[in-house]
Amino acid sequence: MPVEVRQMKTGSKRNLVTIKGTKDGLTILLDDQCSFEALMEELTEKVADKQAFGNGPEVEVKVDTGYRYLQEDHRNKIQQIIEGTGVIKIQDIISQVIPLKKLKK
Protein backbone atom coordinates (compact mmCIF):
# COMPACT_ATOMS: atom_id res chain seq x y z
CA MET A 1 0.00 0.00 0.00
CA PRO A 2 1.65 3.31 -1.12
CA VAL A 3 2.11 6.00 1.48
CA GLU A 4 1.53 9.63 0.53
CA VAL A 5 4.33 11.93 1.64
CA ARG A 6 3.72 15.65 1.93
CA GLN A 7 6.25 18.34 2.53
CA MET A 8 5.67 20.14 5.79
CA LYS A 9 5.75 23.92 5.80
CA THR A 10 7.86 25.26 8.63
CA GLY A 11 6.42 28.73 9.10
CA SER A 12 7.47 31.85 7.29
CA LYS A 13 10.40 31.70 4.93
CA ARG A 14 13.41 33.91 5.45
CA ASN A 15 13.11 37.30 3.79
CA LEU A 16 15.80 37.59 1.16
CA VAL A 17 14.56 41.01 0.00
CA THR A 18 13.56 43.74 2.45
CA ILE A 19 12.10 47.09 1.44
CA LYS A 20 12.90 49.65 4.10
CA GLY A 21 11.86 53.28 4.39
CA THR A 22 14.51 55.67 5.71
CA LYS A 23 14.73 59.43 6.06
CA ASP A 24 16.55 59.43 2.71
CA GLY A 25 13.84 57.41 0.93
CA LEU A 26 13.36 53.74 0.16
CA THR A 27 16.13 51.17 0.27
CA ILE A 28 15.87 47.63 -1.06
CA LEU A 29 18.10 45.38 1.06
CA LEU A 30 19.28 42.18 -0.65
CA ASP A 31 20.42 39.18 1.38
CA ASP A 32 24.09 38.42 0.72
CA GLN A 33 24.07 34.84 2.05
CA CYS A 34 21.69 33.13 -0.39
CA SER A 35 21.96 32.02 -3.99
CA PHE A 36 21.59 34.69 -6.65
CA GLU A 37 18.76 32.73 -8.29
CA ALA A 38 16.71 32.58 -5.06
CA LEU A 39 17.34 36.28 -4.52
CA MET A 40 16.14 37.18 -8.03
CA GLU A 41 13.03 35.05 -7.60
CA GLU A 42 12.03 36.86 -4.40
CA LEU A 43 13.00 40.28 -5.80
CA THR A 44 10.70 39.66 -8.77
CA GLU A 45 7.84 38.74 -6.43
CA LYS A 46 8.35 41.76 -4.16
CA VAL A 47 8.57 44.44 -6.87
CA ALA A 48 5.63 42.93 -8.74
CA ASP A 49 3.47 44.24 -5.90
CA LYS A 50 3.52 47.83 -7.15
CA GLN A 51 1.17 48.90 -4.36
CA ALA A 52 4.09 48.67 -1.94
CA PHE A 53 5.62 51.64 -3.78
CA GLY A 54 2.51 53.81 -3.90
CA ASN A 55 0.40 55.07 -6.79
CA GLY A 56 2.24 58.32 -7.35
CA PRO A 57 5.05 59.18 -9.72
CA GLU A 58 8.13 57.04 -10.23
CA VAL A 59 9.84 56.12 -6.94
CA GLU A 60 13.63 56.27 -6.61
CA VAL A 61 15.27 53.59 -4.48
CA LYS A 62 18.73 52.63 -3.32
CA VAL A 63 19.68 48.96 -3.56
CA ASP A 64 21.98 47.64 -0.81
CA THR A 65 23.67 44.34 -1.72
CA GLY A 66 25.57 43.99 1.55
CA TYR A 67 28.70 41.85 1.15
CA ARG A 68 27.56 40.27 -2.14
CA TYR A 69 29.97 40.79 -5.03
CA LEU A 70 28.01 41.63 -8.16
CA GLN A 71 29.29 40.99 -11.63
CA GLU A 72 28.06 43.38 -14.31
CA ASP A 73 25.46 40.92 -15.62
CA HIS A 74 24.07 40.51 -12.08
CA ARG A 75 23.82 44.29 -11.66
CA ASN A 76 22.00 44.46 -15.00
CA LYS A 77 19.60 41.69 -13.96
CA ILE A 78 18.74 43.50 -10.70
CA GLN A 79 18.22 46.76 -12.59
CA GLN A 80 16.07 45.02 -15.22
CA ILE A 81 13.80 43.45 -12.59
CA ILE A 82 13.38 46.62 -10.51
CA GLU A 83 13.07 49.18 -13.26
CA GLY A 84 10.98 46.83 -15.38
CA THR A 85 8.02 47.66 -13.16
CA GLY A 86 7.81 51.14 -14.66
CA VAL A 87 7.23 52.73 -11.25
CA ILE A 88 10.65 52.23 -9.60
CA LYS A 89 13.97 53.78 -10.61
CA ILE A 90 17.31 52.82 -9.07
CA GLN A 91 19.11 55.83 -7.63
CA ASP A 92 22.19 53.87 -6.54
CA ILE A 93 23.44 50.32 -5.95
CA ILE A 94 25.48 50.13 -2.74
CA SER A 95 27.84 47.29 -1.82
CA GLN A 96 30.18 46.68 1.10
CA VAL A 97 32.59 44.91 -1.28
CA ILE A 98 35.50 47.07 -2.42
CA PRO A 99 36.62 46.28 -5.99
CA LEU A 100 40.26 45.28 -6.34
CA LYS A 101 40.78 48.15 -8.82
CA LYS A 102 40.01 50.70 -6.09
CA LEU A 103 42.34 49.03 -3.61
CA LYS A 104 45.32 49.23 -5.98
CA LYS A 105 45.04 53.01 -6.44
Side-chain angles (χ1 to χ4, degrees):
M1 175 182 234
V3 177
E4 184 179 343
V5 178
R6 293 185 184 180
Q7 187 173 4
M8 184 172 71
K9 294 187 179 183
T10 57
S12 64
K13 67 178 184 176
R14 190 170 143 219
N15 283 330
L16 304 179
V17 176
T18 305
I19 301 168
K20 184 176 180 180
T22 67
K23 64 178 181 165
D24 298 325
L26 287 178
T27 300
I28 299 176
L29 304 166
L30 304 180
D31 187 289
D32 56 8
Q33 300 296 311
C34 64
S35 74
F36 186 75
E37 292 76 24
L39 184 63
M40 293 303 95
E41 184 178 314
E42 187 166 320
L43 179 61
T44 301
E45 291 172 12
K46 292 260 176 131
V47 299
D49 180 15
K50 296 176 187 175
Q51 291 178 339
F53 297 95
N55 296 327
E58 192 173 73
V59 175
E60 286 194 353
V61 298
K62 291 181 182 176
V63 179
D64 187 341
T65 64
Y67 290 99
R68 179 182 297 274
Y69 173 74
L70 289 180
Q71 298 172 353
E72 193 63 33
D73 60 327
H74 287 176
R75 287 171 85 60
N76 292 340
K77 179 75 173 170
I78 291 169
Q79 186 171 0
Q80 180 183 40
I81 290 170
I82 293 174
E83 293 185 348
T85 63
V87 296
I88 310 167
K89 180 168 174 47
I90 295 177
Q91 183 181 32
D92 195 11
I93 297 179
I94 304 161
S95 176
Q96 300 300 319
V97 178
I98 300 170
L100 205 52
K101 294 176 192 174
K102 286 187 179 181
L103 286 175
K104 291 182 179 181
K105 287 185 178 183

